[in-house]
Amino acid sequence: MKREISTRLLLSASLVAAAILACSAPQTATPSPAAATPEASPPTLEPPTPEPPTPTPVPPTSIPEPPTSTPESPPAAEPEATRIVFEPGRTSATVSGHVEQNGIARYVLRASADQPMAVDITSPNADVLLDIWGTDGIPLKRHVDDRAYWRGRLPSTQDYFIQAVSVGAAANYELHVTVFARIQFEPGGTSATVTGEIEQNGIRHYVVRALAGQTMDVRITSPNGDVLLTIWGEDGVPLKRYVDDRADWRGELYATQDYYVEAVAVGQATNYTLTVTIPPP
């Protein structure tokens, strides 16, 4: 009984002591949970009202119109060629004409292979020049070389075209064409004779082939002795001039080449006989 009472007294004292301790200890304020500040709700985004799409302009498909047939201008017509014909017995011809600014005038003549030809054109300002080519299309001279003359041996028997070309203003011109007649010896022969007629102050043109070291003898006769001789080599070296008043020449040839012989009338119209002799070397 006493033990039970002691136990109860001891339990009571423990409870009292615990109560005292609880009252004396600092109390930690337990914070009352603050009322939660409601977070601002994100604005509700209204979906954008779709604008009607702007149509991308598509270029219209071009429907080709039928072409208007514009006829092209036809190329400028080529000038017709005037044929140069030597008078009987003559070896040259002269023609006069007029050409417009930057214009052309065309001529044609027939000549044989291996014949030498000389062409000269004159104009007041020397601005009419020459183009020369054969029917085969091979050019012999172009006006861009700025020369108003040409000398050469023809490559074949055919027509040859000569074109007067203006490189300046409109102008008159005079075209002179010479084709040298070739003197040929008979097989085994050493001389040849040609005869002809010549007008007052006229010239006849011949050519003969000879070898270096050969001696050539040339004589011309006429009723009044007034047809004389001019002789020079293909290289341009003169052997004789008619102004020496002689109708003959003899000399040893210094090169193998063509030699040109001209019969020059220094009086009235007349006839003549030309003889060329070249013995073997």
Side-chain angles (χ1 to χ4, degrees):
M1 183 71 175
K2 289 181 181 180
R3 181 177 295 180
E4 183 180 349
I5 293 172
S6 297
T7 300
R8 286 182 180 178
L9 289 175
L10 181 61
L11 181 57
S12 298
S14 297
L15 290 173
V16 172
I20 293 171
L21 285 173
C23 291
S24 61
Q27 295 183 357
T28 302
T30 302
S32 299
T37 304
E39 295 183 1
S41 300
T44 303
L45 296 177
E46 294 289 333
T49 303
E51 296 182 3
T54 303
T56 303
V58 177
T61 304
S62 58
I63 301 174
E65 296 182 1
T68 303
S69 60
T70 304
E72 294 184 0
S73 299
E78 291 287 325
E80 289 189 13
T82 301
R83 185 165 289 276
I84 296 174
V85 180
F86 296 160
E87 293 183 14
R90 295 197 178 189
T91 56
S92 65
T94 299
V95 294
S96 299
H98 177 85
V99 66
E100 297 299 328
Q101 181 176 1
N102 300 322
I104 59 175
R106 188 172 294 174
Y107 300 88
V108 62
L109 79 160
R110 187 79 175 174
S112 301
D114 209 35
Q115 279 189 295
M117 184 169 75
V119 185
D120 299 85
I121 193 166
T122 58
S123 57
N125 295 317
D127 52 3
V128 181
L129 305 176
L130 292 170
D131 286 330
I132 304 174
W133 71 95
T135 303
D136 56 9
I138 296 175
L140 303 181
K141 180 190 183 305
R142 301 181 190 274
H143 71 274
V144 292
D145 66 5
D146 287 334
R147 291 184 168 185
Y149 64 90
W150 180 81
R151 307 279 187 277
R153 190 183 303 172
L154 300 176
S156 60
T157 299
Q158 62 179 338
D159 277 346
Y160 288 90
F161 293 90
I162 300 171
Q163 191 161 264
V165 182
S166 167
V167 295
N172 296 323
Y173 62 86
E174 191 169 87
L175 175 68
H176 186 74
V177 182
T178 300
V179 178
F180 289 77
R182 187 167 289 280
I183 296 174
Q184 302 277 13
F185 296 164
E186 294 291 336
T190 59
S191 69
T193 298
V194 295
T195 60
E197 295 180 353
I198 191 169
E199 69 277 9
Q200 181 179 356
N201 300 323
I203 302 176
R204 296 292 181 265
H205 308 83
Y206 300 92
V207 62
V208 62
R209 187 80 174 174
L211 305 177
Q214 286 185 297
T215 297
M216 183 167 73
D217 183 276
V218 184
R219 298 178 183 275
I220 194 165
T221 60
S222 59
N224 295 316
D226 54 1
V227 181
L228 306 175
L229 292 171
T230 294
I231 304 172
W232 73 97
E234 184 179 359
D235 58 4
V237 176
L239 303 180
K240 180 188 183 307
R241 302 179 189 274
Y242 76 93
V243 292
D244 65 5
D245 287 334
R246 294 183 61 93
D248 62 284
W249 181 84
R250 180 182 176 85
E252 183 177 329
L253 302 176
Y254 59 91
T256 298
Q257 61 179 349
D258 277 343
Y259 289 88
Y260 298 95
V261 179
E262 287 184 341
V264 182
V266 294
Q268 299 298 314
T270 187
N271 54 62
Y272 63 90
T273 298
L274 173 67
T275 302
V276 179
T277 302
I278 305 177

